[in-house]
Structures are given as structure tokens and as C-alpha cells.
Amino acid sequence: MAEEKMGRRARKKQQTRQEILDAAVQNFAAKGYSKTSIADIMEQADLGTGTFYNYFDSKEDVLRCLLERLVTRVHDALRENKAAGKSQIELLDIACQITAEFLDANRFVLPLFLSAATMTEVREQGENIPTPGFKPVYKSIIEAGQQDGEIRTDIPSDLIAEMFHSIFQAAAFSKLKISFQENVAMKTRLLLDGIRKQN
Amino acid sequence: MAEEKMGRRARKKQQTRQEILDAAVQNFAAKGYSKTSIADIMEQADLGTGTFYNYFDSKEDVLRCLLERLVTRVHDALRENKAAGKSQIELLDIACQITAEFLDANRFVLPLFLSAATMTEVREQGENIPTPGFKPVYKSIIEAGQQDGEIRTDIPSDLIAEMFHSIFQAAAFSKLKISFQENVAMKTRLLLDGIRKQN
Amino acid sequence: MAEEKMGRRARKKQQTRQEILDAAVQNFAAKGYSKTSIADIMEQADLGTGTFYNYFDSKEDVLRCLLERLVTRVHDALRENKAAGKSQIELLDIACQITAEFLDANRFVLPLFLSAATMTEVREQGENIPTPGFKPVYKSIIEAGQQDGEIRTDIPSDLIAEMFHSIFQAAAFSKLKISFQENVAMKTRLLLDGIRKQN
Amino acid sequence: MAEEKMGRRARKKQQTRQEILDAAVQNFAAKGYSKTSIADIMEQADLGTGTFYNYFDSKEDVLRCLLERLVTRVHDALRENKAAGKSQIELLDIACQITAEFLDANRFVLPLFLSAATMTEVREQGENIPTPGFKPVYKSIIEAGQQDGEIRTDIPSDLIAEMFHSIFQAAAFSKLKISFQENVAMKTRLLLDGIRKQN
DNA sequence: TATGAATGAGGCTTCATTCAT
DNA sequence: GATGAATGAAGCCTCATTCAT
């Protein structure tokens, strides 16, 4: 890692940046993105307002960072688990589980995720914020499953991937009194049964 | 209907109100809720800014109206179609179709629907704006299906209803190049297959 | 009186005007002048907003009317009582009593009276709203008293008149738990003792 | 004093705050409280509009500050002068003189003082803005005088204190062409003669 | 005469961003 | 790098006033 090579200076900088991100996350989670001001964030971080701009370009920049971070971590976690020779359906199940675990521990980003689309400039319909690589992970597993004959092929892989994506949305806003992870687990079961190739 | 009895004055008033709603809808659809100012709306409606407040209490009030209207219409449309003696699964299919049609014609409200949660005060996680009766419609059909033995009972009806709800979210943000209604149709197929009781 | 000669038309008009004044008075008394909108007044009067302008030029016009009315009535009441051959000091006492009675029954105008100065355009320092004839009444009695040798002459009559005026202000804002009229009575006693010519 | 210990930054901040207060005072004096906008104040202060909110919560907050400041200063000035063994009547005379001097140098606050009642919500009749300690000072001198047998006891001290208070109001709005301080002096003489115990 | 919808100027307030220290 | 005062555009909302019916 580069971290070890960084001087004290650079390490301190990283740390401050992290503190700002943490503060942002807490505020976003508590009040929502648009109701959170940069002053709010920096006060929480116990830093001067102006300092913000030494680390980020804008409030939106923070959001972008948070989302990227989320995606990256999920992506990595999944890659590790794809190793063993499980069936694709099993892999999807595991993927959902890992994602759920991560989101459960970082619940706040999901609202961000969802609101991302609405809070910024006009984008091409349904384009919202990039979130590079979140759906692709799922998509690639699904396509492998379709080639293996495990998964139905009458529905495009993209579309199925979107359904997996929506599981987390649906669970995030669920009114049910079960845990987030259980919630995701049950929804995953429904979906897995729906996509399994019928003989 | 009262409409016939209304004087010219009242009719004009209704019409203006509608024009404002339309203008709001166009702006919300184009720029999102929070990026739309009341001035934007009223300029689009070709009315003075202050006139807005002869019809609505606040921007949030407009949103509330739009959502209510959406829910009411969908609800009504569904009730009409529940008449014939179709199976519950078939009913769900029809319900999704009708909802999709409505949303397709009123696409803009879906972003609203989603962003509703984030634009106001903090609410209990997943509470967002009431949207009375949207999910309940689906839930009641599902429960009927569970009693008839058509639909699996190992997953709570609420949770299944949430998945139906999320179909529309997922379709709204879809990046695929197929039509919204087709998109919903395919996702519905996946879900219906997933909830069907296995023999 | 002209009232008897007025046709039904004119009588109705007078009555409407009065209703508006009453409504204004109630609102001013309850919320203060600047927090009262013309819409408030006209709603209270159960009339359309626009109707206001058939009777008054502006909100300030209403205030002017109310003050004029107050002054006129007090003035008249005093004139009637000045008849009998009382001493000037006694007359002043009576004058205060009548004024207090009137103000007690029309309490709301006093705040108006006081705020009048601040709520309108810039006026020469201490000019505020005309209030024609309120102080003059007192002043003329005082001057008569000075000529009769009842009242001290080392203080200008104007200045004494102002002190009488201020009695009502002081009583209006009094925090004491006695009645307004008693309050005025005691303050009057102080002042009368202060202006009496010492032998 | 903390002032000496303040850094340059803090000192500048205090100064800016003062400049805003001064600008407010000038505007209030010229146009009255409610006709003065925050933009007016800040333009006079040659600062951006938004800057106002770095120093005050609202326009009403400014008013509160000004009144507090007035009261505090008068209070202090009086305390110093109470030292020497003057009679209570003499003390009252001095008190009026000092107050008049202060108000003469800060004329603007008097209109504030008076208009305070009308510019905010309805308050209990005669409650207006706190103005803590203005009347109490006078009241305590009066009560001492009553105990010493200098001042008449048939009128409550509160009520007499209110009369002293009203002297400044009456003088502020006076139409006479004499100076404010002379005006107060004469009115004070009237009142002192009125409250003196008759043998 | 009565109406009340329409108006738009103007008030208050928030906040992302800059910049001198 | 850190600071936080200053900024001013922009948003929301109120309201006296007009005018067509």
C-alpha cells in the first residue's frame, strides 16, 4: 500500500480528509443530502469551513467520493468470494449477502445512492450518478449463469441485474420490522427463484 | 360531478390550478424537485410568482398533491380491473401493467416518489411521504393469492409487495433501451415466477 | 344629522364602511397594525378583498380614520362637560376622566396612537400622525388655568399638555394590576398637584 | 477587560458588529423599525447582506441588543451617581438628567423603545419587550424617598416610576422647540413637585 | 358595488464559495 | 494548511393593490 510510504504530512492529510468524509456521512444520514450544509459538516468535523475546499471541490464531490468508496469495497469483497467453484446462483446469493452486510454497516449511503439522481443537474433520464461497477458485478455473474444454463435467458442480464440492485433499495425503505440483512435475504430468495431456469 | 355546477369563476380557478400542477410536473421531471424553484414553475405556467400561493401552501404542498393524485388514480384503475374472475397472479400482472401505463404517462412523479424521502425533514427510516394505498393494493392481492394457494407463503406479503413496488423504481432508473412498459413487464415476469407456489 | 337624509343606498354604504373599520379595529387590537393584512380585515368583515378599496385608499388611511374618530369623540365629550362653572383644575380632572373612559372602551387605538409615529414614512422628529385637536383641548384648559392664577406659569402650557398626553401612554403600557381608569386617575392626581400654583 | 486579550481577528469582529449596530440605529431612527430592511442596514454598513447573519439572528435580535445596551448603560451611570448622600428627590432629578443625556446622545433608541411593543407578536397588554431594569432603578429611589418621608405615599411607587418613564416618551415626541434635555428637565420639575410630600 | 384572482416588488434567510490572514 | 468572515445570488414567501367580471 501507498500508505506506508506516505510521510507524516501526507498521512495527516489523509486522516483529515477521512474525518470530513465521516462527518459528511453522519450529517447526510441524519438530515439528508440537501439539508446538510458544508458548515454543518465542518463543524461536526471540528474544522474551519474553508478547510473543506482544501479537500473537496464541492458538496457533490463528497457524495461522489462516498459512492465510489462504497462500490469499490463491495466490488473487492465480491471478487474475493468468487474464487471457490460455487454455482452462479450460489454466487449471486453470496453477493447479495455481502452487499447487504456492507450496506448494513454503512446504511447512510443508500439514501444517498437513491437521492443522487434527483439532487444534481439534469441528467439523461435514468443516468444519475455513475456508480461505476456496482451493477456490472452482478451482471457478469448472471451472464455466466445464463451460459451455464442455470439462469433463464428470456430476460436480459441487464434487466435482472437491475432487479438485484432494486432489492437493496426496497430493503432500505422497508417498513417491515425484520433486520435489513434478513430482508435482503428473503427478497433475494424470491428473485433467485424467479430467475432460475425452469426445466 | 360538481364540475358542471361550478360557475365560470370556479372553473377558471380549477384550470389555473391544473396549469400550475402541469408546469410543476414538467419542471420536476426536467430538473428534479429541489432544483426547481417556484419562480421556475410559475414562469412556465406564465403566471406571476405570487399567484402560486393562491393555490398552494408551499412547494412541498405541490408534491403532496401530485403524489396523492397518482396514488388515487392508480388505485381506482386497479379497482375497476379487479372485477372479472381472474386468478390473483393474473391480477398482479394486470396491476403492474396498469401502474406502468400510468407511470409511463406521468413519468416525472416517480423521481418525486423516490426523492420524497430525502427532501423533507428526517423521517423514520423508510417512512418518507405517506403515499397512502399504493402498496396496500398490491398487498391485498398477494394475500388473496396466498390464501388461494397460488402464491408462496414462506415470504411475508408485505415483503413481496415491496418487491413489486421496487419494480417501478428499478424500471424508472433503468439504463436499458427498451420501453418503460416492456421493462416493467419483464421484471414483473421474473417476480411472478419467483412468488408462484412450487408444487 | 345627515344620516336621516341618506337614501338606503348611502346608508348601506356607511354601514359597510363601519363594518370594515370594526374589523380593522379587532385585528389591529389582536395582532397589531403591521401584522394585520388587508385580507385579514376583509375576511373578518366577510367581504371581498377588493372591496376594501371602495372605501379606503390604503391601510394607513384606515388608521388615520380611526385616530380621527377617537379624537373627535373625545373632543366632543369634553366640550359638553366644559359647560358648568368648574375651576380649570377640576376641568382637567374631568377631561382626563372622560378620555380614560373613552380609551378604556377603545383600548386598541392607543397602541395605534403610539405606533403611529414609527409605522409611516419619515416625519420630522416627533411629528408623527396629526391627531388634530387632541392636545389642543388640554392646552386651552391649561392656558385658561394659567390666566386664572390656578396653574403655575413657569412651565409652558404646551409642555404641560404633553405631560397629560403621556399619562395615557404610561397607563396603557402599565404593568400594574389596577384598572386603566384608576391608573389614569392616580397619575392625573400626581400631575395636577405638580402644576398647581404654589402660594 | 477581555478586549485587551482579544486577537486581531476577534477585535475586527467586534468592530464589524458595532458597525452593523450603528447602521441599524441610524436606519431605525430615520425610518422606524419596521420600515428598515436588513438590506438597508447592511448597505449603510457597507457590507454584504448575508453578513448580517454572521452577527445576528434576526432583525428583532438587533433591537433586543440595542435596548439591552441602553438599559445597561443608564443603569450603570445611575449607580455611580447614587453614591453621594443626596436626598432622594435630588437623586431622582439627577437620574432624569443622566437618562436624558444618554437618550439625547442615543436618541434613536427611544422610538425603538416605544415601537417595540407593536412590532412583535401580541404580548400581554403593556408587556412589550423586557427592558429589564429601566423602571426598577427609578422605583427603588422612589421607595427610599417614601420611607424617608420625602415622597408622598398615597400613590404606589410603581405608578410614579411609570410617570418618570413616560417623561422620556413625552419629551421624545415633543413638538416644542426647546432641547430634549431642557424638555425633560421641565417635565421632571412638574413631576417632582407633584410627588413631594405636602406637609 | 362586490369580487377575488393575479400581480410583482420586496422582505427575510440560507449557503456554497472565496480570500486575506 | 487552516481559518472563518464576507459575500451575494437565489430561494421562499407576503401583501398591498389592480382589474376584469
Side-chain angles (χ1 to χ4, degrees), chain D residues 9 13 16 48 50-51 55:
Chain D
R9 194 77 163 261
K13 181 155 188 181
T16 301
T51 306
Y55 294 90

Side-chain angles (χ1 to χ4, degrees), chain B residues 146-175:
Chain B
Q146 289 178 321
Q147 288 184 346
D148 296 359
E150 284 182 62
I151 296 177
R152 65 197 290 178
T153 53
D154 59 331
I155 308 281
S157 59
D158 281 299
L159 204 142
I160 297 176
E162 284 173 7
M163 279 295 279
F164 276 100
H165 189 207
S166 78
I167 280 179
F168 304 102
Q169 294 186 0
F173 286 130
S174 176
K175 294 194 180 70

Side-chain angles (χ1 to χ4, degrees), chain D residues 54-65:
Chain D
N54 292 340
Y55 294 90
F56 300 96
D57 287 341
S58 63
K59 201 170 55 159
E60 193 172 352
D61 195 25
V62 173
L63 190 61
R64 231 185 334 267
C65 275

Side-chain angles (χ1 to χ4, degrees), chain C residues 173-175, chain D residues 60 62-75 78 99 103 109-120 123 126-139 161-162 165-166 168-169:
Chain C
F173 286 131
S174 177
K175 294 195 180 65
Chain D
E60 193 172 352
V62 173
L63 190 61
R64 231 185 334 267
C65 275
L66 288 175
L67 293 178
E68 260 168 34
R69 174 170 305 199
L70 157 64
V71 167
T72 305
R73 293 206 192 157
V74 170
H75 192 272
L78 285 178
T99 308
L103 288 177
V109 281
L110 225 154
L112 298 189
F113 207 81
L114 304 179
S115 69
T118 59
M119 124 253 112
T120 56
R123 302 179 191 281
E127 230 277 288
N128 60 17
I129 271 200
T131 66
F134 193 57
K135 216 176 315 166
V137 186
Y138 284 84
K139 188 180 166 186
E162 284 175 5
H165 188 208
S166 79
F168 303 103
Q169 295 186 1

